[in-house]
Amino acid sequence: MAQEAAAVANSQPQNQQAAAVTNPQPQNQQAAVTNPEAQNPEPTLAGNDEEVLDLGNLKSDVWNHFIKIKKGELIKAKCNHCKKLLAGESNNGTSHLRNHLKSCMQRKIHDGKQKVLGANFVTKGKREIVATQFNAAVSRQDLAVAVIMHGYSLSMVEHLYFRRFLSGLQPLFSVPTRNTLKSDIFKMYESEKSRIMKLIGGNKGRVAITTDMWTATNQKKGYMAVTAHYVDHSWILRSHLLRYDM
């Protein structure tokens, strides 16, 4: 019995050593628990060390396009458009910030000031590739001219899919309402009326007045147009519509 107990006692260290060799995972797991960053360190995200600062009494309009941040021990001005960092200390001034805004490509794209290559209609229906720049006022005028020349309904600008179509072409264009479009057309009429009166008033020759009457087949309504004709100082025959009645 004594010999058997001694054999059992002597076999325990060997069993523990064999278990440690065959199954080292518990020790590795314990090391991972005590020091998890040694195997899987967390990546540092960019911008985590940035602290947004209060603009305080800064009244320059250039700060409408920048925010002041603290990055480490440095004070920086961060562009709201391209996210570029520039010197933001009070003694740095704002001249370099204004110079950046003049060349900031993201700001130009956002404001619609960046020129792009595109097809542009010129006289007699021809098209040419030119550098164009979006202008909301010109686009509104072109829309009014299209409604006048093609007889489109004013309610067209309130159609959902027409507005979606224009938004896809130029998201910066604000589609006018029907009443706004009507107002634009009347303003254009008054402007053209004044221009034509000046042209006819400055003519030194005679002016011929003609009338034209017809009936629209689809509406069964009669129309009459009064047109003025004259030869200008360049010997070119000019014709201007003076009045249009139903």
Side-chain angles (χ1 to χ4, degrees), residues 229-246:
H229 310 271
Y230 64 93
V231 178
D232 63 9
H233 63 279
S234 300
W235 292 93
I236 299 177
L237 178 61
R238 304 290 184 180
S239 299
H240 301 293
L241 180 64
L242 300 181
R243 192 173 181 85
Y244 184 83
D245 292 322
M246 288 190 296

Side-chain angles (χ1 to χ4, degrees), residues 70-87:
K70 184 177 182 181
K71 189 175 180 66
E73 298 297 330
L74 301 177
I75 304 298
K76 295 290 185 178
K78 187 174 184 179
C79 179
N80 294 335
H81 306 288
C82 66
K83 310 305 179 184
K84 185 176 181 179
L85 298 180
L86 294 93

Side-chain angles (χ1 to χ4, degrees), residues 132-148:
T132 60
Q133 179 176 325
F134 171 69
N135 188 315
V138 174
S139 297
R140 269 182 57 172
Q141 184 177 4
D142 291 340
L143 178 60
V145 171
V147 171
I148 295 171

Side-chain angles (χ1 to χ4, degrees), residues 50-64:
E50 296 181 358
E51 178 185 354
V52 180
L53 303 178
D54 187 10
L55 295 179
N57 296 327
L58 298 177
K59 298 181 180 180
S60 177
D61 58 347
V62 75
W63 290 107
N64 295 331

Side-chain angles (χ1 to χ4, degrees), residues 12-245:
Q12 289 181 353
Q14 296 179 356
N15 294 337
Q16 292 178 353
Q17 183 178 3
V21 173
T22 57
N23 190 17
Q25 185 174 1
Q27 294 181 358
N28 295 338
Q29 289 180 351
Q30 183 177 3
V33 171
T34 56
N35 190 15
E37 296 182 356
Q39 293 183 353
N40 299 316
E42 293 185 0
T44 301
L45 299 179
N48 283 350
D49 57 343
E50 296 181 358
E51 178 185 354
V52 180
L53 303 178
D54 187 10
L55 295 179
N57 296 327
L58 298 177
K59 298 181 180 180
S60 177
D61 58 347
V62 75
W63 290 107
N64 295 331
H65 304 274
F66 290 89
I67 60 173
K68 181 175 284 192
I69 65 172
K70 184 177 182 181
K71 189 175 180 66
E73 298 297 330
L74 301 177
I75 304 298
K76 295 290 185 178
K78 187 174 184 179
C79 179
N80 294 335
H81 306 288
C82 66
K83 310 305 179 184
K84 185 176 181 179
L85 298 180
L86 294 93
E89 296 285 355
S90 300
N91 56 0
N92 294 130
T94 58
S95 298
H96 65 295
L97 302 181
R98 294 186 184 277
N99 293 334
H100 170 74
L101 288 178
K102 294 178 181 179
S103 59
C104 181
M105 191 63 63
Q106 292 298 325
R107 177 174 180 261
K108 291 181 178 180
I109 295 175
H110 181 268
D111 294 344
K113 296 180 180 179
Q114 175 65 23
K115 290 186 177 181
V116 295
L117 291 177
N120 184 33
F121 284 93
V122 293
T123 57
K124 297 182 181 179
K126 296 181 180 179
R127 289 199 306 174
E128 58 181 7
I129 302 299
V130 296
T132 60
Q133 179 176 325
F134 171 69
N135 188 315
V138 174
S139 297
R140 269 182 57 172
Q141 184 177 4
D142 291 340
L143 178 60
V145 171
V147 171
I148 295 171
M149 299 303 296
H150 298 289
Y152 296 144
S153 172
L154 295 177
S155 61
M156 178 182 66
V157 296
E158 297 180 350
H159 295 171
L160 174 61
Y161 287 95
F162 178 73
R163 298 177 71 91
R164 181 179 298 180
F165 169 70
L166 294 181
S167 177
L169 292 178
Q170 178 52 264
L172 297 178
F173 179 63
S174 179
V175 184
T177 63
R178 174 169 46 184
N179 293 332
T180 303
L181 179 60
K182 180 180 178 180
S183 177
D184 291 344
I185 292 175
F186 276 113
K187 290 178 181 179
M188 188 176 298
Y189 166 77
E190 294 295 336
S191 176
E192 285 295 308
K193 179 180 177 181
S194 300
R195 186 180 69 86
I196 296 302
M197 295 303 294
K198 289 181 180 179
L199 290 176
I200 296 178
N203 179 50
K204 299 181 180 180
R206 296 185 177 183
V207 178
I209 303 296
T210 61
T211 59
D212 187 16
M213 301 181 65
W214 72 95
T215 302
T217 56
N218 57 339
Q219 296 180 342
K220 303 300 181 181
K221 293 182 179 180
Y223 296 87
M224 183 181 70
V226 180
T227 309
H229 310 271
Y230 64 93
V231 178
D232 63 9
H233 63 279
S234 300
W235 292 93
I236 299 177
L237 178 61
R238 304 290 184 180
S239 299
H240 301 293
L241 180 64
L242 300 181
R243 192 173 181 85
Y244 184 83
D245 292 322

